[in-house]
Amino acid sequence: MFTYNVRGENIKITPAIRQYAENKISRVEKYFKDTPEATVHVNAKVYQDGNAKVEVTIPLPRLTLRAEEISQDLYGSIDLVVDKLERQMKKYKTRINRKSREKGIPEAIFHEVGNESNDSDNEIAIVRSKSISVKPMSAEEAVLQMEMLGHSFFIFENSEDETISLVYKRRNGKYGLIAIEEEFAE
């Protein structure tokens, strides 16, 4: 069962907006055999030009669903983001179910829901494999190296905290930094 965390930037989230978002987003629950317990994070933002952006993130045990859309009104953005989430579910459910079985997880997590595309159309083909050695440097040095190479991301060892990190160029032209946390099975 989903619970919802709906918040707004430059907009007050009214009960009507909250109810509309919850009703629309709950449509993705039909894709799960047993709807997992998850908190759906909805962030609505209205810009000065009147456009509205809606971001939805649903962290699940074995995957995270995320979509964002911008349109001329908030309700339209909610509709578009839910459509995008449903397209993601349709596209990936067969692949995720198959991978779960391959890993020895007997139960598929998604229902098979109508209008399936040919699974071979959705195969991910890795056409090149490469190994890299990471060098210690600061995040700023990593951005400069990324720019010099003309890449959109760069992996490095952060000299400040000795973590493996990744810098990337965002759509808005600014930069992001991801620190990679290692999880050890006990």
Side-chain angles (χ1 to χ4, degrees):
M1 171 159 230
F2 289 165
T3 56
Y4 294 85
N5 175 13
V6 183
R7 64 184 210 76
E9 293 180 43
N10 302 329
I11 185 173
K12 181 179 186 249
I13 300 299
T14 64
I17 293 171
R18 180 179 306 280
Q19 187 65 43
Y20 189 82
E22 289 179 9
N23 287 344
K24 286 291 192 169
I25 295 167
S26 70
R27 288 182 6 199
V28 303
E29 291 183 34
K30 71 182 177 191
Y31 292 94
F32 294 96
K33 286 190 173 186
D34 294 311
T35 304
E37 289 196 20
T39 300
V40 177
H41 301 279
V42 182
N43 188 43
K45 183 175 186 176
V46 176
Y47 295 97
Q48 289 180 351
D49 65 3
N51 285 333
K53 176 179 174 181
V54 174
E55 301 171 1
V56 175
T57 305
I58 309 172
L60 299 168
R62 293 193 295 257
L63 74 146
T64 298
L65 299 172
R66 185 178 186 293
E68 66 180 58
E69 285 292 336
I70 298 175
S71 74
Q72 294 178 344
D73 73 283
L74 186 62
Y75 290 96
S77 294
I78 293 169
D79 291 343
L80 291 170
V81 84
V82 169
D83 290 345
K84 185 180 258 186
L85 286 169
E86 286 189 301
R87 284 193 306 274
Q88 287 177 5
M89 298 290 284
K90 288 176 185 175
K91 182 176 180 182
Y92 293 111
K93 70 180 175 48
T94 302
R95 186 176 310 137
I96 291 169
N97 283 345
R98 185 179 61 235
K99 293 292 182 192
S100 294
R101 285 189 300 273
E102 288 172 3
K103 290 182 178 180
I105 302 166
E107 191 68 32
I109 61 174
F110 295 120
H111 279 299
E112 299 300 321
V113 178
N115 292 346
E116 303 308 320
S117 57
N118 184 348
D119 194 35
S120 64
D121 294 342
N122 293 326
E123 287 298 317
I124 296 174
I126 298 175
V127 296
R128 185 172 177 207
S129 182
K130 188 176 183 180
S131 52
I132 61 167
S133 60
V134 294
K135 297 183 173 78
M137 61 182 68
S138 70
E140 292 78 15
E141 291 171 307
V143 168
L144 292 173
Q145 185 69 43
M146 175 185 71
E147 291 292 338
M148 286 189 333
L149 293 171
H151 292 173
S152 57
F153 69 93
F154 189 79
I155 301 170
F156 67 103
E157 180 183 331
N158 194 327
S159 59
E160 295 173 17
D161 58 11
E162 298 181 349
T163 60
I164 301 299
S165 298
L166 178 137
V167 289
Y168 63 97
K169 191 162 196 164
R170 298 175 52 93
R171 288 184 207 140
N172 64 6
K174 295 183 180 180
Y175 301 98
L177 171 68
I178 298 173
I180 299 167
E181 296 179 5
E182 295 183 42
E183 292 186 23
F184 297 98
E186 296 191 24

